Amino acid sequence: MNVFGVDIGGTGIKGAPVDLDRGRLGAERHKVLTPHPATPDAVAGRVKEVVEHFGWSGPVGVTFPGVVTDGTTRTAANVDESWVDRDAEGMLADLLGLSVTVLNDADAAGTAEMSFGAGRGRTGTVILLTLGTGIGSAVFTGGRLVPNTELGHLELDGHEAEQRASTKAKEDEDLGWHHWARRVEKYLAHVEMLLSPELFIIGGGVSRKADKFLPHIKGIRAAIEPAQLQNNAGIVGAAMAAADRGMHARTAYVA
Ligand code: BGC
């Protein structure tokens, strides 16, 4: 079964049809730049471009880099603040004329990793952290997601953790891998103190360069693994969420 996934990120908006049986993209993804300012109308226009590039007419899952409850975006740390309390799902569904499911970006990436990547078969507490423009988190236990956990906004050394340990912080402060890894280590130790996971999955674009920083991270009890779907996890997870929604809707109808 194929469903379309779109990942809205700080720099790019990318999407592709997803082969849900295999957890892989069904075609090469199409990427456009995130508009600045990243207002709802401007971003929605780019999402439309991505979906229309494939002439897609089925259900669509969309990730958002903030809290999303019942399709409404609640926070906007790294996008325009006019997203707060917007009915993102309704707005996108109207614009695309398609059924749309919106969820947090890290929750989407985590969902994909639990089924098709580094979290497969893990039943204990697993925490995926995406290190990018911000830090996103997805917490699972018994394979089930606790949505919208927002662990990137925990305090670390008097700052929000994402201002210290995101890859944006690494770039902005021109930190070397070793120096940055120390900060990530401190952050992981803090999250471990709170939640004692059996596994941390490190996602985001930087997961491709795991060999540059993971070896510097010491003293964490939990296993630490790079995400396996790398930068496609958000797209795959978004499509999974849309498919899941479709299934529930059908079940409700039959009942
Ligand atoms: C947001 C999260 C998001 C993360 C990664 C954070 O600033 O609050 O909701 O998952 O960035 O985009």
Side-chain angles (χ1 to χ4, degrees), residues 65-67 75 77-78 104-106 130 134-137 150 153 162:
V67 171
T75 67
N78 296 304
N104 173 263
D105 54 1
T130 60
I135 293 182
S137 60
E150 294 294 315
H153 297 283
E162 73 173 22

Side-chain angles (χ1 to χ4, degrees), residues 77-190:
N78 296 304
V79 282
D80 194 78
E81 66 182 31
S82 54
W83 279 97
V84 174
D85 293 338
R86 282 296 294 258
D87 172 14
E89 230 166 62
M91 172 188 72
L92 285 165
D94 286 350
L95 186 71
L96 300 174
L98 300 173
S99 145
V100 175
T101 303
V102 180
L103 76 163
N104 173 263
D105 54 1
D107 287 348
T111 302
E113 287 292 328
M114 290 303 286
S115 290
F116 299 108
R120 228 174 329 180
R122 296 279 192 164
T123 53
T125 301
V126 176
I127 303 180
L128 170 121
L129 297 167
T130 60
L131 308 178
T133 309
I135 293 182
S137 60
V139 177
F140 296 82
T141 191
R144 284 185 68 106
L145 171 72
V146 179
N148 294 308
T149 45
E150 294 294 315
L151 301 182
H153 297 283
L154 286 172
E155 189 186 314
L156 193 68
D157 293 333
H159 299 269
E160 284 193 72
E162 73 173 22
Q163 287 167 9
R164 302 279 299 162
S166 61
T167 52
K168 180 169 186 295
K170 178 180 184 300
E171 279 153 32
D172 289 352
E173 297 180 53
D174 203 14
L175 304 176
W177 287 108
H178 194 259
H179 189 163
W180 181 67
R182 287 263 90 81
R183 291 190 182 182
V184 176
E185 175 184 282
K186 200 161 186 191
Y187 175 56
L188 293 180
H190 189 61

Side-chain angles (χ1 to χ4, degrees):
M1 181 187 173
N2 275 13
V3 172
F4 202 89
V6 180
D7 194 17
I8 299 177
T11 52
I13 297 175
K14 46 200 198 259
V18 174
D19 172 350
L20 288 174
D21 297 322
R22 300 193 309 151
R24 303 234 185 99
L25 303 195
E28 195 177 326
R29 67 188 196 188
H30 183 63
K31 180 173 176 177
V32 297
L33 290 179
T34 304
H36 290 286
T39 58
D41 286 349
V43 169
R46 297 284 163 88
V47 170
K48 188 167 193 250
E49 266 176 54
V50 172
V51 174
E52 284 183 348
H53 177 83
F54 294 87
W56 187 259
S57 60
V60 178
V62 180
T63 75
F64 177 76
V67 171
V68 184
T69 56
D70 296 325
T72 298
T73 44
R74 301 292 184 187
T75 67
N78 296 304
V79 282
D80 194 78
E81 66 182 31
S82 54
W83 279 97
V84 174
D85 293 338
R86 282 296 294 258
D87 172 14
E89 230 166 62
M91 172 188 72
L92 285 165
D94 286 350
L95 186 71
L96 300 174
L98 300 173
S99 145
V100 175
T101 303
V102 180
L103 76 163
N104 173 263
D105 54 1
D107 287 348
T111 302
E113 287 292 328
M114 290 303 286
S115 290
F116 299 108
R120 228 174 329 180
R122 296 279 192 164
T123 53
T125 301
V126 176
I127 303 180
L128 170 121
L129 297 167
T130 60
L131 308 178
T133 309
I135 293 182
S137 60
V139 177
F140 296 82
T141 191
R144 284 185 68 106
L145 171 72
V146 179
N148 294 308
T149 45
E150 294 294 315
L151 301 182
H153 297 283
L154 286 172
E155 189 186 314
L156 193 68
D157 293 333
H159 299 269
E160 284 193 72
E162 73 173 22
Q163 287 167 9
R164 302 279 299 162
S166 61
T167 52
K168 180 169 186 295
K170 178 180 184 300
E171 279 153 32
D172 289 352
E173 297 180 53
D174 203 14
L175 304 176
W177 287 108
H178 194 259
H179 189 163
W180 181 67
R182 287 263 90 81
R183 291 190 182 182
V184 176
E185 175 184 282
K186 200 161 186 191
Y187 175 56
L188 293 180
H190 189 61
V191 176
E192 178 161 77
M193 183 272 290
L194 292 169
L195 294 168
S196 297
E198 67 174 52
L199 170 68
F200 282 113
I201 303 174
I202 306 298
V206 77
S207 58
R208 266 177 282 139
K209 302 194 180 139
D211 55 324
K212 298 226 190 288
F213 67 99
L214 286 190
H216 297 303
I217 295 179
K218 310 261 191 273
I220 306 294
R221 262 190 332 270
I224 308 174
E225 288 180 24
Q228 287 175 7
L229 285 86
Q230 298 182 340
N231 247 354
N232 290 333
I235 299 176
V236 173
M240 288 172 73
D244 202 40
R245 160 81 68 86
M247 213 124 85
H248 282 109
R250 273 195 295 281
T251 315
Y253 182 74
V254 170

